[in-house]
Amino acid sequence: MKQCSNLPAYLDEYEKPIMNKLRCKILWGFISEIASNGDNHVITASDRSPLSYILKSSEIIGSEAAYRQKDALNNGIYPVQKRLATLETNFWKLNGDYILPDKNNSPDETSDCDENGWESENLCAAMTDSASGKTEYVFAAPPSITIKFNKFANGQETPLGTEEEVNLVGLHFIFYAYGNEYPTSFDVKIITNQQTYYINGLSADSYSYDLEFPACNITTEDGTLVSDDFRNGITGITQIVITINKWSAADRRARIDELEFGLNKIYDNTTLVNAEETRVLSAVGTELPISTFTFTVLDREMLFDAENPNSLTQFLTTRQPIEVTWIQQTDVGDVSVKSATYYLKEWNDTDSRREYKLTAEDLIGFMEEPYNKGIFTGTEKSVKELVTELFNELFPQSSGLSDKLDCSAIGEDIKITAPLPLKLNNQQCTYKDCFMMLAQIAGCVITTDAEGRIVFKKLTRNYVTEGTETPPQQYKIPISVVFDNPPRSNLKSALKQVQVNYYSYALLDKLDDDLYKGKTVIKKDEKYSFELSGGGRVKEIYIGSNPPLEIVNGASYEGQGYSIKCYTYLVELMYTGAESSIPAGEIEIKITGQKLQTSISVYNSETKNANGEVVTIDVPICSSYAQAQAIANNFIAETEKQEEFELEIKRNVLLECGDILELEKPVFGSEQYSKIPCRLLEDKKSLTKVRQSVKMRKLVLS
């Protein structure tokens, strides 16, 4: 069960016949993906504030070449996406090392290091206001950073006047978080395709600062106030210039640790019409369930109206993170529980004007892309490594989601020798299917956590009695308090036996078997896929009457105008050569190599009941008797008791899927209760309903 800061207060609240108000808070980032893409940046710094780390491309005044700084001081790693940092002039070498800055611009002298850093003309100096007596720390020559959003062609900047235009609602700064330092005076100049705008005299009071354009005093060069024109942000931005005039501490250099192009906005009960969350866990299913969060915002100002040229919908992109927090009001203060991080999936108008509905899912909902590899090496491969590789393919570092995986529960000794299939049950295999099969091999379930990560988890199947540490908390749901009528129970057929298909794979010795034959018309720069129905390792590819292209070890091929990728069950081909050399008309494609031989065996578990259901589980990557037995045992342990309960209970924001609950059920003809241990499999929370729906499965006592 999820812990909270004030559990006794919450449990006291839960015992009331009528609970206090429930609230929902959504933290939602309106981040511009175009602006955050480092390939679109040319970043220039003043000679008093060069960049120590930039995104993907940079230009430093006084340097002969651009550089990418990957390691910060003492090899501390900076985040890769959407991050900037400014440090001392000449502090960084182009190879990534750092040096002491020269003292007084003399190459022969280096300054001593004290608590304020190195002596330098680039540090701010103290200046006392004669009228107020207040001391401020001022830069004699204010350091600045210019960010230009430029279009690039083959890595080269295109001519002036063809800048990329981005739309922003604001900027999120992290100045010097480690030292809790910040500018007490800084200016932002915004250059658009129409005009230049100024936001001057800004002052931070902590290292974290949100610059929200609609809330700023924005002026033109002649001082005309134009703030009302930018209620929903500024459009057509081509450059941003940030100048730091004063700092919060003496003898410091200006620092910007992070800069995000956009803002986080918070929606709560004042702007939410409704919010509904469904968390799902499947312990034995053949398909991963997807947890969802839907919410409708009150849109009085038409911020989401598609006809509004400054609509916020221009900032909506799939996979934007949405952090959800439920807040239960109690007599002694609010209890907040961060529920989950979802990712935006779709958005649209409702039937009612002034309302806008949005749907978000966990990362499992973004794993429906077809899987087209299935590489077979004939040697064992770690399941944990496979899971990591698949995740990185689907969510590479550029996605900003590469850290959203926790597969630590998978043992290092769990390995397979089988290729992941191209098809599963005669349907195109997806990454989600691959993860489900790998979880079955690893004896895990897959769920998502509050940080939005995909988590492989092993369940403790046996009920643990009250007073122990595992699980950390257990709920007793008294029947007299939670619901008025006994829960509805679905008693399914008993389990008789589990059968698991397990496979063995081998490449045949013959090297020139036909793996594919067919005809196609080839066009330039179009991808063609040829399915190897039985699988195999490619050796040669015949394209029309041309000599065969030789593929070494079934790997990729580049040459003679072709780009080819070979997998166990699929070959991808693209023609990249000259238009004049494209084979005319429909041509024959033939692929030869070593066929993959597949053998199937069946593991039968012991008979559990004389009468009942026989369940067959087909996992093509299950490659041994021991793995088949483990899958069967896992299935039996989770489903030996088929009784499931569906309840409508008082809202409970603390419940998490996987929690073990103790359900009290009255004994017929008695005033006693029987205690039934159950695992929570589905939980539906709603902002507008006082009761929530849960599904639980009875557990085996041992």
Side-chain angles (χ1 to χ4, degrees):
M1 188 199 81
K2 183 174 291 187
Q3 299 296 308
C4 70
S5 57
N6 198 350
L7 183 59
Y10 180 84
L11 295 178
D12 288 343
E13 185 69 32
Y14 190 74
E15 291 297 321
K16 292 180 180 178
I18 300 177
M19 299 178 74
N20 278 322
K21 187 176 182 179
L22 177 68
R23 304 202 308 276
C24 181
K25 182 176 76 172
I26 299 171
L27 182 62
W28 189 12
F30 285 90
I31 306 297
S32 169
E33 285 195 347
I34 295 176
S36 299
N37 180 3
D39 286 334
N40 291 338
H41 296 64
V42 171
I43 303 169
T44 306
S46 71
D47 59 356
R48 294 178 175 272
S49 185
L51 300 173
S52 66
Y53 180 82
I54 56 168
L55 292 168
K56 293 183 179 178
S57 180
S58 66
E59 182 181 79
I60 307 301
I61 289 179
S63 297
E64 294 182 357
Y67 71 96
R68 286 185 64 190
Q69 176 58 50
K70 294 182 179 179
D71 293 326
L73 182 63
N74 293 330
N75 297 317
I77 304 299
Y78 274 88
V80 173
Q81 292 297 311
K82 313 168 194 159
R83 300 291 186 257
L84 309 173
T86 62
L87 288 173
E88 177 64 52
T89 303
N90 299 327
F91 192 82
W92 299 96
K93 291 183 178 180
L94 296 185
N95 65 2
D97 295 336
Y98 59 92
I99 58 174
L100 294 177
D102 296 336
K103 181 179 181 181
N104 299 325
N105 297 320
S106 170
D108 300 324
E109 297 183 58
T110 56
S111 60
D112 294 330
C113 176
D114 60 21
E115 64 178 358
N116 291 325
W118 289 274
E119 181 180 340
S120 168
E121 294 179 352
N122 290 351
L123 304 183
C124 58
M127 182 178 294
T128 302
D129 187 300
S130 57
S132 65
K134 181 181 178 182
T135 300
E136 296 181 314
Y137 307 108
V138 182
F139 291 100
S144 64
I145 296 175
T146 300
I147 302 143
K148 295 192 295 181
F149 303 102
N150 279 32
K151 293 180 180 177
F152 281 72
N154 298 322
Q156 300 299 316
E157 184 180 352
T158 53
L160 190 65
T162 59
E163 293 89 355
E164 185 81 56
E165 298 176 5
V166 302
N167 305 330
L168 299 176
V169 293
L171 298 169
H172 173 68
F173 293 90
I174 297 292
F175 293 107
Y176 185 27
Y178 181 78
N180 192 23
E181 296 176 12
Y182 46 88
T184 55
S185 175
F186 69 104
D187 304 326
V188 175
K189 181 169 69 173
I190 299 168
I191 302 172
T192 73
N193 52 13
Q194 298 292 326
Q195 198 171 357
T196 299
Y197 302 101
Y198 298 85
I199 308 175
N200 294 330
L202 296 166
S203 179
D205 56 8
S206 73
Y207 66 84
S208 177
Y209 186 85
D210 277 322
L211 177 58
E212 188 170 357
F213 294 156
C216 293
N217 289 326
I218 303 175
T219 63
T220 57
E221 191 168 6
D222 62 4
T224 303
L225 189 65
V226 290
S227 301
D228 291 342
D229 297 338
F230 303 108
R231 186 177 62 182
N232 298 326
I234 301 178
T235 60
I237 300 171
T238 58
Q239 291 186 41
I240 296 174
V241 181
I242 302 161
T243 303
I244 297 178
N245 304 305
K246 302 176 183 178
W247 202 247
S248 62
D251 300 322
R252 299 292 193 181
R253 57 182 67 87
R255 297 173 187 255
I256 302 178
D257 287 342
E258 300 178 8
L259 174 61
E260 290 192 4
F261 301 101
L263 287 177
N264 286 325
K265 283 186 171 290
I266 296 176
Y267 288 79
D268 56 20
N269 287 37
T270 61
T271 47
L272 288 175
V273 178
N274 59 51
E276 293 187 353
E277 177 185 28
T278 302
R279 300 299 302 273
V280 188
L281 178 73
S282 177
V284 294
T286 56
E287 184 175 348
L288 292 181
I290 298 170
S291 297
T292 60
F293 180 72
T294 60
F295 60 104
T296 303
V297 296
L298 188 62
D299 192 21
R300 294 192 186 96
E301 298 179 343
M302 307 297 284
L303 299 182
F304 292 95
D305 190 334
E307 296 180 0
N308 179 357
N310 296 319
S311 171
L312 289 176
T313 55
Q314 64 186 306
F315 301 108
L316 301 183
T317 58
T318 57
R319 301 202 303 200
Q320 281 180 264
I322 296 174
E323 297 181 7
V324 179
T325 301
W326 295 97
I327 304 165
Q328 176 61 57
Q329 195 177 79
T330 75
D331 293 340
V332 294
D334 291 344
V335 174
S336 298
V337 175
K338 183 177 178 181
S339 178
T341 298
Y342 296 91
Y343 301 89
L344 191 61
K345 193 68 174 273
E346 60 184 30
W347 50 93
N348 52 270
D349 293 320
T350 66
D351 293 335
S352 173
R353 288 183 63 113
R354 305 296 193 269
E355 292 183 5
Y356 202 79
K357 184 177 181 180
L358 303 104
T359 301
E361 295 179 351
D362 61 15
L363 272 189
I364 297 172
F366 295 85
M367 299 175 68
E368 295 285 8
E369 290 188 25
Y371 176 79
N372 58 7
K373 291 194 174 180
I375 299 172
F376 177 71
T377 61
T379 58
E380 285 188 333
K381 191 155 191 177
S382 165
V383 168
K384 182 179 285 189
E385 289 178 10
L386 271 173
V387 166
T388 304
E389 287 176 13
L390 285 174
F391 189 85
N392 291 338
E393 285 176 12
L394 195 55
F395 305 112
Q397 198 167 34
S398 60
S399 71
L401 301 170
S402 57
D403 61 340
K404 300 298 184 181
L405 173 67
D406 180 2
C407 57
S408 57
I410 301 177
E412 299 289 346
D413 58 337
I414 301 176
K415 299 180 179 180
I416 62 171
T417 55
L420 290 164
L422 186 69
K423 289 188 175 180
L424 187 65
N425 299 325
N426 292 321
Q427 297 292 324
Q428 173 68 55
C429 188
T430 66
Y431 281 83
K432 192 169 75 152
D433 296 326
C434 294
F435 268 70
M436 186 68 250
M437 289 185 288
L438 291 167
Q440 286 178 317
I441 294 292
C444 294
V445 297
I446 299 179
T447 184
T448 51
D449 65 5
E451 305 305 320
R453 298 180 303 169
I454 291 179
V455 180
F456 283 71
K457 181 189 290 187
K458 290 185 181 292
L459 293 178
T460 303
R461 297 184 181 86
N462 294 332
Y463 176 65
V464 183
T465 56
E466 185 180 3
T468 61
E469 294 297 322
T470 307
Q473 287 283 345
Q474 293 175 33
Y475 276 147
K476 295 179 182 179
I477 302 184
I479 195 168
S480 59
V481 175
V482 176
F483 46 83
D484 301 321
N485 299 306
R488 186 168 73 251
S489 171
N490 296 329
L491 187 60
K492 300 179 181 178
S493 62
L495 180 64
K496 180 179 180 180
Q497 189 179 52
V498 176
Q499 297 178 342
V500 180
N501 297 333
Y502 63 100
Y503 295 69
S504 60
Y505 299 87
L507 292 168
L508 297 180
D509 293 336
K510 191 177 179 183
L511 302 179
D512 56 356
D513 276 328
D514 288 344
L515 303 179
Y516 174 87
K517 274 186 179 181
K519 291 185 177 182
T520 189
V521 175
I522 291 181
K523 296 181 181 179
K524 182 176 171 61
D525 294 334
E526 286 194 14
K527 184 185 290 184
Y528 298 87
S529 297
F530 307 105
E531 185 177 327
L532 314 180
S533 59
R537 176 180 290 175
V538 177
K539 183 183 179 185
E540 291 181 331
I541 300 179
Y542 297 81
I543 303 174
S545 59
N546 295 329
L549 304 178
E550 186 174 350
I551 312 296
V552 180
N553 293 327
S556 301
Y557 176 90
E558 297 283 345
Q560 301 185 49
Y562 290 96
S563 174
I564 301 173
K565 294 181 179 180
C566 301
Y567 308 112
T568 301
Y569 299 107
L570 195 79
V571 171
E572 291 181 346
L573 180 147
M574 180 183 291
Y575 180 76
T576 58
E579 292 273 3
S580 58
S581 301
I582 296 177
E586 192 175 53
I587 59 172
E588 185 175 59
I589 304 290
K590 187 172 79 167
I591 302 173
T592 64
Q594 293 175 272
K595 281 188 175 180
L596 186 68
Q597 186 178 58
T598 304
S599 301
I600 304 177
S601 303
V602 179
Y603 167 82
N604 291 296
S605 73
E606 63 182 69
T607 301
K608 304 299 294 183
N609 297 285
N611 298 310
E613 183 180 359
V614 177
V615 176
T616 300
I617 302 175
D618 191 19
V619 185
I621 63 171
C622 178
S623 54
S624 71
Y625 178 93
Q627 288 177 347
Q629 185 180 44
I631 290 174
N633 290 343
N634 179 57
F635 186 89
I636 292 168
E638 288 294 342
T639 59
E640 192 168 22
K641 295 290 185 183
Q642 293 283 313
E643 197 168 11
E644 294 181 351
F645 298 97
E646 297 180 12
L647 295 87
E648 289 290 326
I649 66 173
K650 284 201 315 184
R651 61 174 182 257
N652 192 324
V653 296
L654 298 178
L655 289 180
E656 273 198 349
C657 285
D659 282 349
I660 297 177
L661 314 179
E662 190 175 83
L663 176 66
E664 293 188 357
K665 189 175 182 181
V667 177
F668 183 74
S670 167
E671 295 183 357
Q672 296 180 339
Y673 293 95
S674 64
K675 297 181 178 181
I676 306 172
C678 299
R679 173 169 285 117
L680 183 64
L681 298 179
E682 184 176 304
D683 181 19
K684 294 183 179 179
K685 296 182 177 70
S686 174
L687 178 66
T688 54
K689 295 178 181 178
V690 295
R691 301 173 89 80
Q692 69 192 50
S693 172
V694 298
K695 290 183 181 179
M696 298 184 292
R697 173 175 285 147
K698 187 174 180 180
L699 289 183
V700 181
L701 285 169
S702 65

